[in-house]
Amino acid sequence: MGKIIIAPSLLSADFADFGGALAEIAQSGAEWVHLDVMDGQFVPNLTFGPKLADDLRRRSSAFFDVHLMVESPHRLVPAFAAADAITFHLEAAPHAHRLLQEIRRMGKKAGVSIVPSTPASALSEILPYTDLVLVMTVNPGFGGQELIPECLEKVRYLAEKRQKYGLGFLISVDGGIHKETAAAAVAAGADVLVAGSAFFNAPDKAELVRQLRGM
């Protein structure tokens, strides 16, 4: 689909210095900022809410990629007007088609995500209405986990469906992405690589971004 997009996840940033994290992302050459919103119910962790996105928006013109790992995502979507893309979980949204339409009406890219136990085929009916599919390659909730290799089969499946039907959605991979796993994700068909621990622990973040892109 083109140049690989790198999306550092603020989940692994210093929560006392999100402004500094934004600056590091900008200096690294990464294009997107990934914001993991967790409610302690859909996943066993709590992170942050829409105010952080609003505050960071005043400091950055980067592409904000909001990932709602929450129950009842339709209740939170309107609050994230600062985002450029809003992704919710299929498992938490029985009316996924309606929610995708609502996100697009807000002028945002509409994304849908699946956890490792959900087959990619569950997305078949809504792929034409989706701008971004986020494949979780770890069980969501915490950073620093190892990629589950079998999840990359879902990426291949989605890439094949996209080509077969002439669709335009991006495929994002989130979980266990670092310089050793990025190539496999890209080979499977990923367009967007979400990197948390690997990015914020890297001594040279610009070099890591180049490595993730395979440059």
Side-chain angles (χ1 to χ4, degrees), residues 114-118 120 135-139 146-158 171-175 185 188:
I114 52 175
V115 301
S117 59
T118 299
V135 176
M136 292 301 302
T137 45
V138 298
N139 290 297
E146 285 300 312
L147 180 145
I148 301 170
E150 292 79 7
C151 291
L152 294 182
E153 291 302 320
K154 300 182 192 182
V155 177
R156 293 186 183 92
Y157 172 91
L158 291 165
I171 302 171
S172 180
V173 173
D174 183 359

Side-chain angles (χ1 to χ4, degrees), residues 59-76:
R59 294 182 175 218
S60 173
S61 60
F63 189 98
F64 280 14
D65 176 30
V66 168
H67 178 194
L68 298 178
M69 287 181 270
V70 302
E71 295 287 354
S72 303
H74 65 280
R75 298 181 184 276
L76 273 180

Side-chain angles (χ1 to χ4, degrees), residues 34 67 87 112-114 132-136 170 172-174 194:
H34 189 82
H67 178 194
T87 296
V112 62
S113 182
I114 52 175
L132 176 70
V133 176
L134 174 57
V135 176
M136 292 301 302
L170 296 175
S172 180
V173 173
D174 183 359
V194 178

Side-chain angles (χ1 to χ4, degrees), residues 144-200:
Q145 301 182 65
E146 285 300 312
L147 180 145
I148 301 170
E150 292 79 7
C151 291
L152 294 182
E153 291 302 320
K154 300 182 192 182
V155 177
R156 293 186 183 92
Y157 172 91
L158 291 165
E160 289 169 2
K161 291 294 183 184
R162 179 173 63 186
Q163 182 175 12
K164 180 178 180 180
Y165 295 107
L167 301 174
F169 61 84
L170 296 175
I171 302 171
S172 180
V173 173
D174 183 359
I177 294 296
H178 46 70
K179 61 184 180 181
E180 285 78 24
T181 58
V186 171
D191 310 290
V192 182
L193 302 178
V194 178
S197 301
F199 180 85
F200 284 103

